[in-house]
Each structure stands twice: as structure tokens, then as C-alpha cells.
Amino acid sequence: MKAGALLLFLLLPTCLVRAQQTADLTAFNPKSGATALVRQGRLEVSWPASGADRGKVVLNLTANAPLFRSIQLRTRGHNQVIARNLEPAFILTVGKRDLVSQNGWNIFFDKVPQKPFRAYRLTRDHLTAAVSSTGARTTVTLGGLHAPGFSGQLELTLYHGSPLFNVAAVLTTSQDSTAILYDAGLVSAQPNWRSVGWATPDDQWHSIPVGATDSSRNVAVKYRTVLGETAGGSLAVFPAPHQYFYPLDEAFNLKFTWFGTNYRQLLPGYGLGIRQDLYGDKRYVPWFNAPPNTAQRLHFYCLLGAGSAANLLTQVKRYTHDDTYATVPGYKTMASHFHNEYVMQALLAGKPEAGVPEFVRFFKSVGLDIVHLGEFHYTAHPKGPDDQRLRELATLFELCRQSSDEKFLLLPGEEPNEFLGGHWLALFPRPVYWVMARKPDVPFVQQDARYGTVYHVGDKTQLLDLLQAENGLAWTAHARTKGSVGYPDEYRKEAFFTADRFLGAAWKALPADLSQPRLGKRALDLLDDLNNWGTQKKMLAEADLFTVNFANEMYAHLNVNYVQLPALPAFQAGWQPVLDALQQGRFFCSTGEVLIPQFTVAGKSAGETAKLPHPAQTDVTFDLRWTFPLAFAEIISGDGQRVYRQRVDLSSTQALGQQVFHVPADLTGKKWVRLEAWDVAANGAFTQTVYLVN
């Protein structure tokens, strides 16, 4: 079949072959605060939502009925029915992954939608149900889902302490070289909602009344959320804020929500939900990896509210700090690797914006204190002629100077991709003029009447000389993927890499794999390798994006470094304190929802060396702050050969919390240790490394 879509419409009456009147409650703990009851072909599960409020789902366990008989919220002593007769629905699109031409599952340069993709309809051949308790959450599991090459189950997870629940189709395939996308939502034969609402990309509330014959439409929204409102209250549908978005070069808002009748001609009835764009930014479009025998979790979140949809959206926004980066005392937020190309495409093209450029206003609006650019990405003249190269640099430096103030620091930066192999970024503590070419008769350092000191660099040795002379830093961009396939591994023994001027590498959620409980496994595995190599390198978070504006879905593709700085340096004085903090490992990386403001091992923080007692039993102390309920933390260590993981179960956490943890760890024989923490939506944070002496 030519390009199409794989329909996964859960619990369709035509797919139900027999009724099931019971549910397995053996793994359910009635002391958890939740209740579970089976009666008259229904499974009723309630959970503590917030304060005295309780959420409740009534599930049909009979054939020829939608799964959600009702979704309710009890607040102020009154039981309010938010919605009735809803069916969870998924459209799964299955394509072919290129595992041969480049670097296997780490590939980014794939164009999946340009190859055939297939359509199937998932069926469910029986109605089994089980309820289980784990920490502060209750899970209802309903099996079994089937399609040619795929099988799995439906999971509903109810999070105690908030009116939040998750709906997931968990699917496995034995087929190799598979890439996937999915759309999802809630559908009913007749509209449940009297209105549907959302925030427009410019952050204005908008709602429209619902009609039974309204054709489905895709909508560009802010906060990735669409909401339905009834006489009984409101329900919000939204995805995991970062995990749901496969990596692209651009963060365009591609209308990631939908509502209406007969969505994509595949979901009969009226629905609302989330969607992914098959063709992305029409550059490289890799979709999600779906390796054989991995449990791919296709899921979305629902939040309940007793009032209006507009008020409920305010509650949804708390899970991403309103799509901004929260302030942490003693830290400054820093983002890196943006190819906005404002110098070449606006300033030197004679098309400057009036006033402060939009990309600068955007960065300030999301709570970023420091932004490191990656200008001149194949658009400028890095090798000269000298007058042109120096003019471009001078324009970049002036842009950054004018855009910086006492609350925001815009740092000039490039992705040179010369001399070393693979792609890399550079950061100097002040404006530095250098040309990426050197003729035999040109000295390494020259004095220019207009620009001052100018360097000409012709090879990797001279590049290291430049970094050392100007106290700069360099690191591998998108290591082991994209244009850095094979790097930094191939130059790990080179003098420039082993020097303290080479920071390490950068982290981004690339590739994407919905079976992983964390993001960016590729880069995190590299960080462990760097540690076992004994290099004391660091891992900096990077965005690697092109267009930056308010219309884009920027937050989903962003990440941040929380850098320990007592104050923001002034541009004119230079920003050496920023480079010092990075080089010393005094920062942690985050998607924004999970924060680690404190992490110590035997009293030492990231970047420092701890002397352990004998035997090496010690407490690992860390302070976590989060929005979505946490899933787990991991204390990750190594002995120079192997990597060891000590998982800390955090399933007892509720949403929007903070706690200091003291975890005993045996670090005998270990040479390094670091920390990761992840929530239920695969949002997370990780520290830099503490080095160990046993």
C-alpha cells in the first residue's frame, strides 16, 4: 500500500469479540488512597487528585461500548461528570528506517516520508483488565492490541495528588528497520463538548462552539494543548512536552493538535487530540526509532478541571513553568547552538528588524540568561577573504553587544567544522577575530589597524594554539550522529582533544525512541564513555536549531544548562566566568521540568574530586525539583571499563514537588559518578561528573 497511515482505534465495537465482566485486582493496594470496584460490567477507579478532590474513571468492560463510560472529578463535595462515552484513539504511521547508509539507529539524515509507509487497523481480541498500584500511581492495563507485525496493550495511569492521567498504547514489533509516528486523542459518536479551546501561538485564548458535523481541523497552538469544555467542567489533552517531538532542524509549529469529526478520514465520530506532521520541516525527517522487541509507548496526558477550559489551561502550563525556565538561586540559564543566521540573512543583507530582533526577544521571554549562537553555518566566509570574514565577525560581535544587557547575555559563537573532523562549536571569553585559513607567508598572529589582533589558523595544531592563547573552549556538536558520525571517538587520543581547552561534547534528544524512559541516550552513553576514558570531559546541552521566533514550537525542542554563577557578566568586561564554570563542571543540564540544584558525593560537587572512605560506602545527596511526577533517578558510576547504575525508584512522588534525597551508595573501585533524574513524561536532568579517589 502506498503512503498512508496505520489506524490504531482502541476498543472499536467492531473489534470486540466477547465481553469481560471482571478485572484482576490482585496487584491493587486498597491502602494506596485509590479505590477500584468492578460491578455490572464496569470498572470504577478513583484516585486522590488534589486536597480533598478525587478523580474518577468509569470503564466499560462490555462489548459494543466506548471505553470511558464517564470521566469525573469530585471537588468541594460535589461529583462533576466531565465527559461521557469517550474512546481513546490512535493513528500509528509506520515507515522504513535507513540502518545501512550512515550510523544505524543513531541516524538523523533520514527522509522517512519519502519512502513508502503502510496502514493497518489495530484490533483487540479480548477484554482483559488489571489494576495495579505502584507508589503514588494506579495503573489500569487492558490487553491485547494487535496489528500485522504489532501487538501490545492499553495502559491508563492515574497520578495521585493531581487530576492528571496518562493514556498509552504500548506496542511491540519484531520487524527490523522500523520508524513510526502517531496521532492520538479521545473520540465519541456524538460530541461531548460544548466548546473546544486553545491558546494561539501568540498566547491568546481562543475557543469555539462545537457542532456535531464539524469537519476535523489541525490547529497550531501554544503549550501543545487542546481542551474540551462541558457543563460539568473541562478536560485538557496534551503530549509529553519534549518526547513527543521527533528531532528536526527547525522548530516550526506544524499544527500539533486536532479536533472535529472524522479526523484524517480514519477516526469516525467527534474527537480532539494531538498529532504529528508526517513531513516535518521538509528537510531531514527521521521520525521515531522502533527497534525490534522494544515497547513503544504511544501516549498522551489528560488533566481534569471543574471550571472553564481557559482556567484549566493555566493548570496545564504549570507542568512546563509556562514554557519558560524556572529561576534557581545561584544559577544562570544558558542555551547553546542556534543557527538563526541573523548576521548574514538580516544585517549584512540590509534587512535588519526595527528595534530588538525577534529572536532576542524570544530568548528573553522564556527565561534564558545566556544564549550562545552558532552563526555562519555554511552561509558566510570562514576562510576569507580576510576583509569579508572580519567584517562578518565584527557585525556578529556588535549584534551581541547591542543585544546584551544587565539581565541577558548574547554570546557570539560558530560551528566551524574545520580541521578536527566532524562538527564542533567554539566559545571564546571575548570577541576574537580569526580566519579559518592560513597561507604559507601569513603569520599565525597579526595586528590589524581596525580589528586589532587577528589569527590565521590552518590546521588542528594551530587551532589548539588559538584556544590556548585566547582561553577558548571547543566541543563536539551532536556527537556520533549527523555530521559527527564517528566523533569524538576517532580523535579521542589527539592532542587537541586531550587538552583542557576541549570541553567534551553536547547533549540533545536525538535520536528519538518512545521505548526509552529518558531522552538523548546517545549522548548520555558518550558521557559515560568519556568518563571511563579518564578524560574528565563535560556534556553541554545544545538545541541545534535554525529559525527562532515566537510562532515556532520552540519549547518542545529546547533544553538548558543551569550554570553556577553569582552574577551575569557584562558583555564589555568579557564572559570568562561562564567558560570557567563550564570547564569546571559547575552546571547541570535539563529539559526544564526537572531541576538538580544540589548534587554531592562525600561532600564534593560535580567537577570536583571526592576522597572516599574505605570501604567506599557513602551518601549521595541530591535536591530535586519537578513538575510532572518523577519516575526514577540513577546514580551512574564507572571503574574505567564498565558502567554501573543504581536506580532510585521515585514512583511515590506526586506532581509539582521538591525533595532532598540521601541515598547510600557503594562506590568501591569506582573512578567517577554522576546523577540523572527523569519524570513520567521522559523530561529530565543530569549532572556533570564527580571524580573519585578510593
Side-chain angles (χ1 to χ4, degrees):
M1 181 180 295
K2 198 173 175 174
L6 170 55
L7 173 63
L8 167 50
F9 193 173
L10 302 179
L11 310 183
L12 277 173
T14 56
C15 301
L16 300 174
V17 297
R18 64 182 179 86
Q20 172 70 41
Q21 299 288 335
T22 62
D24 182 358
L25 304 182
T26 56
F28 172 71
N29 181 4
K31 297 181 180 180
S32 65
T35 65
L37 175 66
V38 179
R39 62 181 176 187
Q40 298 178 342
R42 304 192 301 270
L43 170 61
E44 301 180 8
V45 184
S46 75
W47 74 99
S50 178
D53 294 353
R54 295 189 68 85
K56 184 177 182 179
V57 292
V58 180
L59 306 178
N60 283 308
L61 296 181
T62 56
N64 304 314
L67 177 63
F68 288 106
R69 183 183 180 95
S70 67
I71 299 174
Q72 306 173 23
L73 182 64
R74 183 173 181 82
T75 182
R76 298 177 183 175
H78 298 286
N79 210 53
Q80 297 182 219
V81 177
I82 307 298
R84 300 181 186 274
N85 301 319
L86 291 176
E87 201 71 50
F90 295 77
I91 297 173
L92 175 66
T93 308
V94 179
K96 189 72 172 176
R97 166 66 71 241
D98 176 0
L99 296 179
V100 177
S101 67
Q102 295 168 56
N103 56 333
W105 292 107
N106 277 339
I107 188 174
F108 173 80
F109 295 135
D110 202 356
K111 297 182 178 181
V112 178
Q114 293 187 10
K115 296 170 282 189
F117 44 93
R118 300 170 296 173
Y120 306 103
R121 183 170 180 167
L122 193 82
T123 60
R124 207 156 95 79
D125 58 12
H126 53 80
L127 270 171
T128 62
V131 186
S132 59
S133 303
T134 305
R137 53 214 62 169
T138 299
T139 301
V140 180
T141 303
L142 302 127
L145 305 176
H146 298 281
F150 288 85
S151 62
Q153 59 195 20
L154 177 69
E155 292 182 1
L156 308 177
T157 305
L158 316 171
Y159 299 103
H160 300 191
S162 59
L164 177 74
F165 65 92
N166 180 266
V167 182
V170 185
L171 298 176
T172 299
T173 180
S174 60
Q175 298 172 349
D176 203 3
S177 308
T178 300
I180 63 172
L181 291 183
Y182 75 97
D183 303 350
L186 298 170
V187 177
S188 56
Q190 298 297 322
N192 260 270
W193 322 103
R194 62 184 183 187
S195 65
V196 172
W198 62 90
T200 58
D202 60 353
D203 206 9
Q204 300 298 309
W205 174 252
H206 184 76
S207 67
I208 62 172
V210 167
T213 59
D214 293 343
S215 298
S216 70
R217 54 186 285 197
N218 305 333
V219 186
V221 307
K222 190 173 175 63
Y223 310 114
R224 302 156 300 280
T225 303
V226 61
L227 303 96
E229 185 173 324
T230 69
S234 303
L235 183 147
V237 175
F238 53 97
H242 303 281
Q243 184 193 45
Y244 186 65
F245 297 85
Y246 60 89
L248 294 169
D249 284 330
E250 297 280 9
F252 298 147
N253 191 322
L254 300 172
K255 299 184 177 180
F256 295 112
T257 64
W258 64 273
F259 67 90
T261 300
N262 198 22
Y263 173 62
R264 286 184 64 181
Q265 319 292 296
L266 294 170
L267 303 184
Y270 190 98
L272 75 171
I274 59 174
R275 63 176 297 275
Q276 292 166 328
D277 192 278
L278 299 179
Y279 300 96
D281 58 12
K282 297 181 174 61
R283 292 164 60 95
Y284 293 101
V285 186
W287 293 9
F288 292 94
N289 287 340
N293 306 314
T294 58
Q296 297 295 316
R297 189 175 181 86
L298 322 180
H299 66 110
F300 60 92
Y301 289 90
C302 297
L303 190 70
L304 307 179
S308 69
N311 287 339
L312 182 58
L313 180 60
T314 301
Q315 298 304 309
V316 174
K317 290 158 58 177
R318 296 178 69 194
Y319 288 87
T320 59
H321 304 293
D322 292 359
D323 278 16
T324 66
Y325 295 102
T327 299
V328 177
Y331 289 85
K332 298 299 180 183
T333 54
M334 175 182 175
S336 176
H337 200 157
F338 295 95
H339 301 306
N340 200 48
E341 303 297 347
Y342 190 76
V343 170
M344 300 302 298
Q345 296 179 6
L347 295 178
L348 293 180
K351 303 175 182 178
E353 298 178 48
V356 179
E358 181 180 11
F359 80 94
V360 174
R361 289 185 281 117
F362 170 79
F363 286 141
K364 290 182 174 182
S365 75
V366 296
L368 289 172
D369 302 312
I370 306 168
V371 171
H372 173 227
L373 296 176
E375 291 281 290
F376 309 145
H377 193 49
Y378 304 119
T379 64
H381 304 84
K383 297 183 179 182
D386 283 10
D387 58 345
Q388 197 161 13
R389 164 67 171 170
L390 298 180
R391 177 171 175 249
E392 291 165 359
L393 284 173
T395 306
L396 171 61
F397 299 154
E398 182 61 14
L399 166 67
C400 292
R401 186 192 67 79
Q402 292 184 1
S403 300
S404 299
D405 54 36
E406 67 279 3
K407 295 183 179 179
F408 180 73
L409 184 59
L410 186 64
L411 301 184
E414 297 180 81
E415 186 179 354
N417 305 335
E418 296 286 343
F419 313 123
L420 307 185
H423 288 198
W424 53 281
L425 269 75
L427 174 63
F428 293 99
R430 65 191 66 81
V432 173
Y433 289 94
W434 66 295
V435 181
M436 301 179 202
R438 182 182 175 190
K439 296 178 181 178
D441 59 340
V442 175
F444 173 59
V445 183
Q446 285 181 312
Q447 294 302 313
D448 185 273
R450 180 175 183 182
Y451 299 109
T453 301
V454 176
Y455 297 88
H456 286 80
V457 174
D459 58 33
K460 59 189 176 184
T461 300
Q462 294 165 13
L463 174 64
L464 178 56
D465 290 341
L466 169 64
L467 294 172
Q468 290 173 331
E470 292 291 344
N471 211 27
L473 292 175
W475 58 88
T476 310
H478 43 73
R480 295 176 173 175
T481 190
K482 300 183 81 172
S484 293
V485 172
Y487 298 98
D489 306 68
E490 292 189 24
Y491 52 58
R492 55 175 284 198
K493 296 183 180 180
E494 295 267 10
F496 69 82
F497 180 80
T498 59
D500 64 355
R501 297 294 92 203
F502 203 92
L503 182 68
W507 174 90
K508 181 179 179 175
L510 186 170
D513 185 332
L514 295 168
S515 70
Q516 292 289 329
R518 55 166 61 84
L519 301 179
K521 182 179 183 297
R522 162 194 57 88
L524 295 171
D525 287 348
L526 172 60
L527 179 54
D528 295 334
D529 289 342
L530 291 170
N531 284 327
N532 271 340
W533 295 346
T535 58
Q536 297 201 3
K537 300 300 183 183
K538 313 302 185 293
M539 183 67 66
L540 184 80
E542 67 176 350
D544 194 6
L545 294 172
F546 285 72
T547 309
V548 178
N549 59 39
F550 285 97
N552 281 356
E553 176 45 73
M554 296 296 301
Y555 185 77
H557 296 275
L558 287 177
N559 49 50
V560 71
N561 302 282
Y562 277 85
V563 184
Q564 279 189 309
L565 290 170
L568 192 67
F571 186 91
Q572 284 86 340
W575 44 94
Q576 185 65 54
V578 176
L579 279 75
D580 291 343
L582 296 178
Q583 187 184 35
Q584 295 163 15
R586 294 188 284 111
F587 66 99
F588 67 88
C589 305
S590 174
T591 57
E593 298 78 11
V594 182
L595 305 174
I596 314 177
Q598 179 193 12
F599 165 61
T600 59
V601 180
K604 298 296 184 179
S605 301
E608 298 180 329
T609 298
K611 173 67 176 176
L612 297 180
H614 183 75
Q617 307 264 348
T618 189
D619 274 359
V620 175
T621 300
F622 49 97
D623 178 5
L624 296 183
R625 305 174 191 184
W626 63 89
T627 57
F628 286 83
L630 291 175
F632 65 93
E634 277 194 330
I635 300 168
I636 303 168
S637 60
D639 58 11
Q641 298 293 326
R642 296 177 56 194
V643 176
Y644 303 83
R645 298 179 180 274
Q646 179 179 336
R647 179 166 291 209
V648 182
D649 180 17
L650 299 178
S651 62
S652 293
T653 59
Q654 299 182 1
L656 305 168
Q658 176 179 345
Q659 185 177 339
V660 176
F661 297 84
H662 302 275
V663 180
D666 183 356
L667 298 174
T668 302
K670 308 303 190 299
K671 296 183 177 181
W672 57 269
V673 62
R674 63 182 187 87
L675 180 76
E676 296 178 15
W678 301 92
D679 68 21
V680 296
N683 308 306
F686 62 92
T687 70
Q688 302 307 302
T689 305
V690 174
Y691 306 102
L692 305 176
V693 177
N694 281 265

